[in-house]
Amino acid sequence: MAATIRFCLLVSLFASITLTTTVQAHVFDVTKYGGSPNSDITQAFLKAFADACASPIAAFVVIPDGTYQIGVVNVKGPCKAPVEIQLQGILKAPVNTPGDAWFTFGYIDHFSITGCGTFDGMGSAIYGKSKSKTVNIRFNYITNGKVEGITSKDSKQFHINVLGCKNLIFCKMTIIAPADSPNTDGIHIGRSSDIQVLDTKIATGDDCISIGDGLQHLTVERVTCGPGHGISVGSLGRYPNEAPVQGIWVRQCTFKGTDNGVRIKSWPDMEPCEVSDVHFDDITMDNVCNPIIIDQVYCPSNECKSKKGPSKVTIRDVSFKNIKGTVRGDDAIMISCSPAHPCANLCMSNIDLTSPTGKAKATCLNVKPIITGTMNPAGC
């Protein structure tokens, strides 16, 4: 039966209001499939989603307010019409979640997740005790999608992994995990195109947003990052046949207490790849270590100690503009390009970064940046 529904959308990072939206659609409420708060709703959700996916008109899968346990979910399209999951409650993962993902949504056109609810990965129960590769949510080959208003909390590894998607928007989200939680990247995106991350707060133990190979056309705007490791392109050049990264725009973002700010990183002496058309503009740094960094000798935990040659990754057409704020330490700008493939057409404009010591410095290796406007600190 067609139904009229009312749903709540989070409309800012710090407050929410209730909007009334009238749509004609089929509604599939998990409580009508036997689901109830404080119980396991895995089967109820899977049945509701299956019916929604088979609906000939737009369908809503509704999870009302309340706290629910739910196991591993892996659902795939194609669906007959647009499907939206409206999450108002709190979903809790098993403490020992098997596999590489808690939720996986794949091969669906016009798919959305909205609401004021939370995906709680229960990573707090294992941090520092055991390692897990379980991502909170995987989006595989989703087209024309939107994720709005929800919270991802305490994932056991990446919060959100995006692969093979096109025209997917993340907005007004909150992604949180402790600063010392391992590998809890906020959103990792690879081999996708036309992705947007907007008006979102990310505080994790790793990169707020990490960009893998094959990403074409990403826009990140009005994101607050911290704690975490900043927004990173890469690491790249570690594996064979990595696809180029092109068309990255990061604008009007704020970094608070992060270990890095805006970063491009590649491995030394391993595999070739190409990064181009990457732009960081109107960025505020608040007590940030390494606010601006290109690191082409990236080698965490000394994993590439046998590699002596330069990075084979080429970087060109990159700009850092209108970046201001404070540095934790003295390294405000560290550009270390590959001597085999020096960075080409790197532009820096209106940079103003200061440190409490008054000794903020800029270092540029294997590159001759094009500098306009203010350049503080000088050195490149």
Side-chain angles (χ1 to χ4, degrees):
M1 175 184 294
T4 300
I5 62 175
R6 303 163 72 91
F7 60 93
C8 174
L9 295 177
L10 190 65
V11 297
S12 76
L13 296 177
F14 307 105
S16 63
I17 62 173
T18 299
L19 302 177
T20 301
T21 298
T22 301
V23 295
Q24 292 301 310
H26 282 165
V27 176
F28 301 91
D29 188 324
V30 295
T31 63
K32 306 302 182 183
Y33 290 80
S36 61
N38 304 310
S39 66
D40 189 317
I41 64 165
T42 307
Q43 293 306 312
F45 177 84
L46 290 173
K47 290 175 183 177
F49 189 90
D51 286 350
C53 192
S55 170
I57 64 172
F60 293 85
V61 178
V62 176
I63 304 173
D65 190 27
T67 299
Y68 307 86
Q69 287 74 47
I70 188 166
V72 172
V73 169
N74 187 342
V75 292
K76 295 181 181 180
C79 296
K80 291 185 177 180
V83 174
E84 178 174 326
I85 296 172
Q86 290 190 355
L87 175 62
Q88 306 304 331
I90 298 171
L91 301 179
K92 288 185 174 289
V95 171
N96 298 309
T97 311
D100 66 358
W102 178 26
F103 277 81
T104 302
F105 302 100
Y107 302 93
I108 308 171
D109 185 31
H110 290 95
F111 173 68
S112 301
I113 303 176
T114 66
C116 307
T118 298
F119 290 83
D120 185 350
M122 298 295 289
S124 57
I126 69 163
Y127 294 150
K129 299 176 183 178
S130 63
K131 293 183 178 180
S132 173
K133 295 184 178 180
T134 304
V135 174
N136 258 12
I137 312 172
R138 286 186 181 273
F139 294 97
N140 296 338
Y141 303 96
I142 301 295
T143 55
N144 304 309
K146 188 174 187 179
V147 182
E148 182 172 11
I150 64 167
T151 295
S152 177
K153 178 184 177 184
D154 291 348
S155 182
K156 296 181 178 72
Q157 210 214 37
F158 295 175
H159 283 260
I160 294 171
N161 191 87
V162 178
L163 175 67
C165 296
K166 184 174 182 179
N167 190 26
L168 179 58
I169 300 172
F170 298 91
C171 63
K172 303 183 179 77
M173 294 182 61
T174 301
I175 299 175
I176 52 174
D180 59 353
S181 57
N183 300 316
T184 53
D185 293 45
I187 305 176
H188 178 78
I189 312 165
R191 297 192 176 248
S192 299
S193 63
D194 301 309
I195 309 298
Q196 298 181 61
V197 183
L198 311 173
D199 302 301
T200 289
K201 181 179 179 180
I202 306 175
T204 70
D206 211 298
D207 292 333
C208 291
I209 299 172
S210 56
I211 296 163
D213 76 297
L215 180 56
Q216 307 284 317
H217 307 134
L218 167 69
T219 299
V220 178
E221 292 183 346
R222 299 176 301 280
V223 166
T224 299
C225 170
H229 295 181
I231 294 178
S232 296
V233 178
S235 60
L236 298 170
R238 186 178 187 183
Y239 301 106
N241 304 314
E242 291 184 348
V245 173
Q246 183 179 27
I248 310 298
W249 292 87
V250 179
R251 307 184 185 98
Q252 300 175 356
C253 294
T254 299
F255 296 77
K256 296 184 176 182
T258 53
D259 289 351
N260 301 285
V262 290
R263 175 168 61 159
I264 302 173
K265 53 183 177 176
S266 72
W267 292 73
D269 195 21
M270 296 184 79
E271 299 293 336
C273 189
E274 181 177 301
V275 179
S276 64
D277 192 21
V278 178
H279 307 282
F280 304 100
D281 189 5
D282 193 8
I283 306 294
T284 299
M285 304 289 181
D286 181 1
N287 191 34
V288 172
C289 188
N290 302 314
I292 298 173
I293 180 169
I294 295 179
D295 181 5
Q296 292 209 258
V297 290
Y298 179 74
C299 185
S301 304
N302 206 24
E303 294 179 41
C304 47
K305 60 183 178 181
S306 64
K307 302 295 183 180
K308 305 300 182 183
S311 176
K312 298 176 183 178
V313 175
T314 61
I315 298 174
R316 61 180 175 83
D317 303 329
V318 174
S319 67
F320 300 94
K321 296 182 178 181
N322 304 308
I323 300 177
K324 63 183 180 180
T326 55
V327 182
R328 187 170 74 251
D330 293 330
D331 290 317
I333 301 169
M334 181 63 203
I335 309 294
S336 179
C337 297
S338 169
H341 303 279
C343 299
N345 192 29
L346 188 148
C347 300
M348 307 184 81
S349 177
N350 295 326
I351 309 297
D352 189 7
L353 296 167
T354 60
S355 70
T357 66
K359 298 179 180 179
K361 61 183 179 179
T363 303
C364 292
L365 304 174
N366 304 308
V367 63
K368 294 182 179 179
I370 300 167
I371 297 174
T372 58
T374 302
M375 186 64 186
N376 178 39
C380 286

